[in-house]
Amino acid sequence: ASLMLTASFDGLAKVYRAATLEHVWTYRLPGPATCASWRPDGQAFVVGLDDGQWQWRQSKVAPAQEAFAVATAPVVEEAEEEEAPDEDKQKDSKSSSARTKVYLRGLNATPDSDDEIVEKPGRPVKKRQSQLDYFFRKFEYRKILEYIVTKREILPNVGLAAVDELLQRGALDAAMSEIGEELCLASLRWLARVFTAGDSMHQNLFMEALHTLLDHNRCLQPPCTQALLDALHSVEKRVHQEVKVQEALMETGGMLKAVTTL
């Protein structure tokens, strides 16, 4: 039967029967996968990883070869049984040859003289994944918002970078829609804390997050509790301070230009 291969960012490659979608095998990969392809004969496949490496898997015994061996060897079956080693040794021999075959072109193989070595020998060091990376890989956008607004140790630039990634994925609305009074309050306090003067990129991300929060939560239209109202006033105060600073800078810049042109 025809087989279907899938590989994904969760680090798993899976094989299904194409006709019935019945699951056949699952392979755990050392990292997120970005592409996969069968060999033309259907007896092996390769998976490309996010870090530029690739993994190769091959069937231990091709079905066509196994059927041919069974069909052509019934006459000598009894004669071979007398000379053959015991069953345990046969299994060990088969599994050993299978392992050698699977890893023939892997990291344990010695390169041939005409091979081009593109990496240093040795197994790659697995990168340590942060909690935010894990949530993004699992598409847990609401948990990303909860994480950045409730963890005091998260730096402002890290939190705003997460907002930027949500915006690029088109998931900022989903992450900040109808999140409840408690999370709205934490989000407003976080926005007041991370508002940075003078950095236009951070200010744009701040405004995107603030507008999304206000537009997609009924508890803020208008604020339904005194705590939410106080948090909004705190954000408003920070914005007004920045506006005054910008006006003073524009006025100073105009005076300097007038003086230098005299």
Side-chain angles (χ1 to χ4, degrees):
S2 298
L3 298 178
M4 178 177 65
L5 170 66
T6 66
S8 57
F9 262 70
D10 60 2
L12 297 177
K14 298 183 179 182
V15 178
Y16 302 86
R17 298 193 189 281
T20 62
L21 296 183
E22 176 189 357
H23 177 255
V24 182
W25 300 298
T26 294
Y27 300 92
R28 185 169 296 279
L29 306 169
T34 56
C35 58
S37 178
W38 286 102
R39 201 170 66 183
D41 62 4
Q43 299 306 313
F45 65 84
V46 65
V47 179
L49 303 181
D50 189 44
D51 58 2
Q53 299 184 61
W54 54 268
Q55 291 281 312
W56 178 62
R57 295 290 185 273
Q58 180 173 355
S59 298
K60 293 181 180 179
V61 179
Q65 295 175 358
E66 185 178 13
F68 177 78
V70 172
T72 56
V75 178
V76 296
E77 185 176 0
E78 295 183 1
E80 289 181 350
E81 285 182 358
E82 298 179 359
E83 300 178 1
D86 60 356
E87 188 177 350
D88 294 337
K89 291 183 178 180
Q90 286 182 350
K91 290 182 179 179
D92 292 342
S93 176
K94 288 181 180 179
S95 61
S96 176
S97 62
R99 284 196 298 271
T100 304
K101 191 173 186 180
V102 169
Y103 293 105
L104 184 59
R105 301 299 297 167
L107 294 174
N108 294 333
T110 304
D112 296 334
S113 58
D114 57 345
D115 284 342
E116 180 183 357
I117 302 176
V118 296
E119 289 187 358
K120 294 182 179 180
R123 295 190 178 276
V125 178
K126 189 175 182 180
K127 296 180 180 178
R128 187 174 182 181
Q129 189 179 50
S130 68
Q131 190 67 45
L132 279 176
D133 291 334
Y134 175 79
F135 287 146
F136 273 116
R137 188 163 63 86
K138 294 295 184 179
F139 307 104
E140 298 281 359
Y141 299 133
R142 181 63 58 84
K143 290 184 179 180
I144 293 171
L145 177 66
E146 294 175 0
Y147 186 76
I148 63 176
V149 303
T150 58
K151 299 292 184 181
R152 281 276 183 175
E153 63 270 18
I154 299 297
L155 297 175
N157 59 332
V158 175
L160 290 171
V163 171
D164 186 31
E165 181 65 21
L166 290 170
L167 195 60
Q168 296 298 325
R169 295 189 180 198
L172 188 60
D173 291 353
M176 305 188 78
S177 296
E178 300 303 334
I179 57 179
E181 295 179 16
E182 185 177 351
L183 197 52
C184 279
L185 180 60
S187 300
L188 287 172
R189 289 173 175 172
W190 176 77
L191 287 170
R193 190 167 66 249
V194 303
F195 184 76
T196 7
D199 192 324
S200 59
M201 181 179 178
H202 284 185
Q203 288 178 9
N204 290 336
L205 292 173
F206 167 85
M207 296 305 295
E208 286 284 352
L210 179 60
H211 289 169
T212 304
L213 188 68
L214 296 176
D215 293 343
H216 293 83
N217 289 276
R218 288 192 293 271
C219 63
L220 296 174
Q221 303 170 358
C224 60
T225 65
Q226 186 62 39
L228 289 173
L229 187 61
D230 293 342
L232 270 175
H233 284 162
S234 177
V235 173
E236 182 183 18
K237 183 178 178 181
R238 294 294 303 273
V239 173
H240 284 171
Q241 287 176 350
E242 176 61 17
V243 169
K244 289 181 180 179
V245 170
Q246 294 296 330
E247 289 176 351
L249 288 174
M250 291 178 63
E251 183 179 353
T252 304
M255 293 174 59
L256 290 173
K257 184 177 181 180
V259 171
T260 55
T261 53
L262 294 176

Short mmCIF file of all heavy atoms in Angstrom, two decimals, residues 191-231:
data_model
loop_
_atom_site.label_atom_id
_atom_site.label_comp_id
_atom_site.label_asym_id
_atom_site.label_seq_id
_atom_site.Cartn_x
_atom_site.Cartn_y
_atom_site.Cartn_z
N LEU A 191 2.29 46.91 30.11
CA LEU A 191 2.48 47.93 29.08
C LEU A 191 3.01 49.23 29.68
O LEU A 191 3.88 49.89 29.10
CB LEU A 191 1.16 48.18 28.35
CG LEU A 191 0.70 47.08 27.39
CD1 LEU A 191 -0.72 47.32 26.91
CD2 LEU A 191 1.64 47.00 26.19
N ALA A 192 2.49 49.60 30.86
CA ALA A 192 2.99 50.81 31.52
C ALA A 192 4.44 50.65 31.94
O ALA A 192 5.22 51.62 31.94
CB ALA A 192 2.12 51.12 32.74
N ARG A 193 4.83 49.42 32.27
CA ARG A 193 6.20 49.17 32.72
C ARG A 193 7.21 49.15 31.58
O ARG A 193 8.35 49.57 31.74
CB ARG A 193 6.22 47.84 33.48
CG ARG A 193 7.49 47.55 34.23
CD ARG A 193 7.35 46.40 35.19
NE ARG A 193 7.12 45.12 34.51
CZ ARG A 193 5.98 44.44 34.55
NH1 ARG A 193 4.95 44.93 35.23
NH2 ARG A 193 5.85 43.30 33.93
N VAL A 194 6.78 48.63 30.41
CA VAL A 194 7.75 48.45 29.31
C VAL A 194 7.78 49.62 28.34
O VAL A 194 8.59 49.61 27.40
CB VAL A 194 7.44 47.16 28.52
CG1 VAL A 194 7.44 45.95 29.43
CG2 VAL A 194 6.12 47.27 27.76
N PHE A 195 6.91 50.62 28.56
CA PHE A 195 6.90 51.75 27.62
C PHE A 195 8.24 52.47 27.69
O PHE A 195 8.66 52.94 28.74
CB PHE A 195 5.77 52.71 27.99
CG PHE A 195 5.64 53.86 27.02
CD1 PHE A 195 5.07 53.67 25.78
CD2 PHE A 195 6.09 55.11 27.36
CE1 PHE A 195 4.95 54.71 24.90
CE2 PHE A 195 5.97 56.17 26.48
CZ PHE A 195 5.40 55.97 25.24
N THR A 196 8.93 52.52 26.54
CA THR A 196 10.27 53.12 26.51
C THR A 196 10.25 54.39 25.68
O THR A 196 9.70 54.41 24.60
CB THR A 196 11.27 52.17 25.87
OG1 THR A 196 10.64 51.05 25.34
CG2 THR A 196 12.36 51.76 26.79
N ALA A 197 10.87 55.41 26.22
CA ALA A 197 10.93 56.68 25.50
C ALA A 197 12.07 56.67 24.50
O ALA A 197 13.15 56.18 24.78
CB ALA A 197 11.12 57.84 26.49
N GLY A 198 11.80 57.23 23.32
CA GLY A 198 12.86 57.42 22.33
C GLY A 198 13.06 56.29 21.35
O GLY A 198 13.70 56.47 20.33
N ASP A 199 12.54 55.10 21.62
CA ASP A 199 12.70 53.96 20.71
C ASP A 199 11.42 53.82 19.89
O ASP A 199 10.39 53.36 20.40
CB ASP A 199 12.96 52.68 21.52
CG ASP A 199 13.43 51.54 20.63
OD1 ASP A 199 12.95 51.46 19.49
OD2 ASP A 199 14.26 50.73 21.08
N SER A 200 11.48 54.22 18.62
CA SER A 200 10.28 54.26 17.79
C SER A 200 9.71 52.87 17.54
O SER A 200 8.48 52.67 17.53
CB SER A 200 10.57 54.95 16.46
OG SER A 200 11.60 54.28 15.77
N MET A 201 10.59 51.88 17.36
CA MET A 201 10.10 50.52 17.10
C MET A 201 9.34 49.97 18.30
O MET A 201 8.25 49.40 18.16
CB MET A 201 11.27 49.60 16.74
CG MET A 201 10.85 48.18 16.44
SD MET A 201 12.24 47.13 16.00
CE MET A 201 11.40 45.56 15.77
N HIS A 202 9.90 50.15 19.49
CA HIS A 202 9.23 49.69 20.70
C HIS A 202 7.92 50.45 20.93
O HIS A 202 6.94 49.86 21.40
CB HIS A 202 10.15 49.84 21.91
CG HIS A 202 11.22 48.80 21.97
ND1 HIS A 202 12.10 48.68 23.04
CD2 HIS A 202 11.55 47.80 21.12
CE1 HIS A 202 12.92 47.67 22.81
NE2 HIS A 202 12.61 47.13 21.66
N GLN A 203 7.91 51.73 20.59
CA GLN A 203 6.68 52.51 20.75
C GLN A 203 5.59 52.00 19.81
O GLN A 203 4.42 51.92 20.19
CB GLN A 203 6.97 53.99 20.48
CG GLN A 203 7.76 54.66 21.58
CD GLN A 203 8.07 56.11 21.27
OE1 GLN A 203 7.54 56.67 20.30
NE2 GLN A 203 8.91 56.73 22.08
N ASN A 204 5.96 51.63 18.59
CA ASN A 204 4.97 51.09 17.65
C ASN A 204 4.41 49.77 18.15
O ASN A 204 3.20 49.52 18.06
CB ASN A 204 5.61 50.90 16.27
CG ASN A 204 5.92 52.21 15.58
OD1 ASN A 204 5.30 53.23 15.88
ND2 ASN A 204 6.88 52.20 14.68
N LEU A 205 5.27 48.90 18.68
CA LEU A 205 4.80 47.63 19.23
C LEU A 205 3.91 47.86 20.44
O LEU A 205 2.91 47.16 20.63
CB LEU A 205 5.99 46.75 19.60
CG LEU A 205 6.84 46.24 18.43
CD1 LEU A 205 8.10 45.53 18.95
CD2 LEU A 205 6.03 45.29 17.55
N PHE A 206 4.29 48.83 21.27
CA PHE A 206 3.48 49.19 22.43
C PHE A 206 2.08 49.63 22.01
O PHE A 206 1.08 49.18 22.58
CB PHE A 206 4.19 50.30 23.22
CG PHE A 206 3.33 50.98 24.25
CD1 PHE A 206 3.19 50.45 25.52
CD2 PHE A 206 2.65 52.14 23.93
CE1 PHE A 206 2.41 51.07 26.47
CE2 PHE A 206 1.86 52.77 24.88
CZ PHE A 206 1.73 52.23 26.14
N MET A 207 2.00 50.49 20.99
CA MET A 207 0.71 50.99 20.53
C MET A 207 -0.13 49.87 19.92
O MET A 207 -1.35 49.81 20.12
CB MET A 207 0.92 52.11 19.52
CG MET A 207 1.60 53.35 20.10
SD MET A 207 0.77 54.03 21.56
CE MET A 207 -0.79 54.57 20.84
N GLU A 208 0.51 48.97 19.16
CA GLU A 208 -0.22 47.83 18.58
C GLU A 208 -0.83 46.97 19.68
O GLU A 208 -2.00 46.57 19.60
CB GLU A 208 0.71 46.99 17.71
CG GLU A 208 1.09 47.61 16.38
CD GLU A 208 -0.03 47.52 15.36
OE1 GLU A 208 -1.04 46.86 15.63
OE2 GLU A 208 0.10 48.12 14.28
N ALA A 209 -0.03 46.67 20.70
CA ALA A 209 -0.53 45.84 21.79
C ALA A 209 -1.64 46.54 22.56
O ALA A 209 -2.66 45.92 22.90
CB ALA A 209 0.63 45.46 22.72
N LEU A 210 -1.48 47.84 22.82
CA LEU A 210 -2.49 48.58 23.58
C LEU A 210 -3.80 48.66 22.82
O LEU A 210 -4.88 48.41 23.37
CB LEU A 210 -1.96 49.98 23.90
CG LEU A 210 -2.91 50.90 24.67
CD1 LEU A 210 -3.27 50.28 26.02
CD2 LEU A 210 -2.30 52.28 24.86
N HIS A 211 -3.74 48.99 21.52
CA HIS A 211 -4.96 49.08 20.72
C HIS A 211 -5.67 47.73 20.62
O HIS A 211 -6.90 47.65 20.70
CB HIS A 211 -4.63 49.61 19.33
CG HIS A 211 -4.24 51.05 19.32
ND1 HIS A 211 -3.68 51.69 18.23
CD2 HIS A 211 -4.33 52.00 20.29
CE1 HIS A 211 -3.43 52.95 18.52
NE2 HIS A 211 -3.81 53.16 19.77
N THR A 212 -4.89 46.67 20.43
CA THR A 212 -5.49 45.34 20.34
C THR A 212 -6.17 44.97 21.64
O THR A 212 -7.28 44.41 21.65
CB THR A 212 -4.42 44.29 20.00
OG1 THR A 212 -3.76 44.66 18.78
CG2 THR A 212 -5.03 42.91 19.81
N LEU A 213 -5.53 45.28 22.76
CA LEU A 213 -6.10 44.97 24.07
C LEU A 213 -7.40 45.73 24.30
O LEU A 213 -8.40 45.16 24.76
CB LEU A 213 -5.08 45.32 25.16
CG LEU A 213 -5.42 44.91 26.59
CD1 LEU A 213 -5.40 43.39 26.73
CD2 LEU A 213 -4.43 45.54 27.57
N LEU A 214 -7.42 47.01 23.95
CA LEU A 214 -8.62 47.84 24.18
C LEU A 214 -9.75 47.46 23.23
O LEU A 214 -10.93 47.51 23.60
CB LEU A 214 -8.27 49.32 24.01
CG LEU A 214 -7.27 49.91 25.02
CD1 LEU A 214 -6.95 51.35 24.68
CD2 LEU A 214 -7.83 49.81 26.44
N ASP A 215 -9.43 47.06 22.01
CA ASP A 215 -10.46 46.77 21.00
C ASP A 215 -11.10 45.40 21.15
O ASP A 215 -12.20 45.18 20.63
CB ASP A 215 -9.86 46.89 19.59
CG ASP A 215 -9.46 48.31 19.24
OD1 ASP A 215 -9.94 49.24 19.93
OD2 ASP A 215 -8.68 48.50 18.28
N HIS A 216 -10.42 44.45 21.82
CA HIS A 216 -10.90 43.08 21.82
C HIS A 216 -11.26 42.55 23.21
O HIS A 216 -11.32 41.34 23.41
CB HIS A 216 -9.84 42.16 21.19
CG HIS A 216 -9.61 42.40 19.74
ND1 HIS A 216 -8.79 43.40 19.27
CD2 HIS A 216 -10.12 41.77 18.63
CE1 HIS A 216 -8.79 43.38 17.94
NE2 HIS A 216 -9.59 42.41 17.54
N ASN A 217 -11.50 43.47 24.15
CA ASN A 217 -11.88 43.02 25.51
C ASN A 217 -13.02 43.89 26.01
O ASN A 217 -12.85 45.11 26.21
CB ASN A 217 -10.68 43.10 26.46
CG ASN A 217 -9.64 42.04 26.15
OD1 ASN A 217 -9.75 40.90 26.60
ND2 ASN A 217 -8.63 42.40 25.37
N ARG A 218 -14.17 43.27 26.25
CA ARG A 218 -15.35 44.01 26.68
C ARG A 218 -15.18 44.63 28.08
O ARG A 218 -15.80 45.64 28.39
CB ARG A 218 -16.57 43.09 26.68
CG ARG A 218 -17.06 42.73 25.28
CD ARG A 218 -18.43 42.05 25.34
NE ARG A 218 -18.33 40.76 25.98
CZ ARG A 218 -18.08 39.62 25.34
NH1 ARG A 218 -17.89 39.65 24.03
NH2 ARG A 218 -18.02 38.47 25.99
N CYS A 219 -14.31 44.01 28.89
CA CYS A 219 -14.13 44.54 30.25
C CYS A 219 -13.40 45.89 30.26
O CYS A 219 -13.34 46.55 31.30
CB CYS A 219 -13.38 43.53 31.11
SG CYS A 219 -11.71 43.16 30.55
N LEU A 220 -12.86 46.31 29.10
CA LEU A 220 -12.17 47.60 28.99
C LEU A 220 -12.98 48.63 28.19
O LEU A 220 -12.46 49.69 27.85
CB LEU A 220 -10.81 47.41 28.32
CG LEU A 220 -9.80 46.57 29.09
CD1 LEU A 220 -8.54 46.33 28.27
CD2 LEU A 220 -9.44 47.22 30.42
N GLN A 221 -14.26 48.32 27.90
CA GLN A 221 -15.08 49.20 27.06
C GLN A 221 -16.40 49.56 27.75
O GLN A 221 -17.46 49.07 27.36
CB GLN A 221 -15.36 48.49 25.73
CG GLN A 221 -14.14 48.06 24.97
CD GLN A 221 -14.48 47.16 23.79
OE1 GLN A 221 -15.64 46.82 23.54
NE2 GLN A 221 -13.46 46.77 23.05
N PRO A 222 -16.40 50.43 28.76
CA PRO A 222 -15.26 51.04 29.45
C PRO A 222 -14.73 50.11 30.54
O PRO A 222 -15.29 49.04 30.75
CB PRO A 222 -15.90 52.28 30.07
CG PRO A 222 -17.29 51.85 30.37
CD PRO A 222 -17.69 50.91 29.26
N PRO A 223 -13.66 50.52 31.25
CA PRO A 223 -13.12 49.68 32.32
C PRO A 223 -14.19 49.38 33.37
O PRO A 223 -14.87 50.28 33.86
CB PRO A 223 -11.98 50.52 32.90
CG PRO A 223 -11.58 51.42 31.77
CD PRO A 223 -12.83 51.72 31.01
N CYS A 224 -14.33 48.11 33.72
CA CYS A 224 -15.42 47.70 34.61
C CYS A 224 -15.03 47.68 36.07
O CYS A 224 -15.89 47.48 36.93
CB CYS A 224 -15.94 46.32 34.18
SG CYS A 224 -14.69 45.02 34.22
N THR A 225 -13.75 47.86 36.39
CA THR A 225 -13.32 47.90 37.79
C THR A 225 -12.39 49.09 38.01
O THR A 225 -11.80 49.63 37.05
CB THR A 225 -12.58 46.60 38.19
OG1 THR A 225 -11.37 46.50 37.42
CG2 THR A 225 -13.44 45.37 37.92
N GLN A 226 -12.26 49.48 39.27
CA GLN A 226 -11.38 50.61 39.60
C GLN A 226 -9.92 50.28 39.30
O GLN A 226 -9.16 51.15 38.88
CB GLN A 226 -11.55 50.97 41.08
CG GLN A 226 -10.80 52.22 41.50
CD GLN A 226 -11.27 53.47 40.77
OE1 GLN A 226 -12.46 53.65 40.53
NE2 GLN A 226 -10.33 54.33 40.39
N ALA A 227 -9.54 49.02 39.51
CA ALA A 227 -8.15 48.63 39.24
C ALA A 227 -7.82 48.78 37.76
O ALA A 227 -6.73 49.27 37.39
CB ALA A 227 -7.92 47.19 39.69
N LEU A 228 -8.75 48.38 36.88
CA LEU A 228 -8.52 48.54 35.44
C LEU A 228 -8.45 50.02 35.06
O LEU A 228 -7.62 50.42 34.23
CB LEU A 228 -9.64 47.85 34.66
CG LEU A 228 -9.63 46.32 34.67
CD1 LEU A 228 -10.88 45.77 33.99
CD2 LEU A 228 -8.39 45.78 33.96
N LEU A 229 -9.31 50.83 35.67
CA LEU A 229 -9.30 52.27 35.40
C LEU A 229 -7.98 52.89 35.83
O LEU A 229 -7.39 53.71 35.10
CB LEU A 229 -10.48 52.93 36.11
CG LEU A 229 -10.72 54.42 35.80
CD1 LEU A 229 -11.01 54.61 34.32
CD2 LEU A 229 -11.87 54.95 36.63
N ASP A 230 -7.48 52.52 37.01
CA ASP A 230 -6.20 53.06 37.50
C ASP A 230 -5.05 52.63 36.58
O ASP A 230 -4.13 53.43 36.31
CB ASP A 230 -5.94 52.57 38.93
CG ASP A 230 -6.93 53.16 39.92
OD1 ASP A 230 -7.57 54.17 39.58
OD2 ASP A 230 -7.06 52.59 41.02
N ALA A 231 -5.09 51.38 36.12
CA ALA A 231 -4.03 50.91 35.22
C ALA A 231 -4.05 51.66 33.91
O ALA A 231 -2.99 52.01 33.36
CB ALA A 231 -4.19 49.41 34.98
#
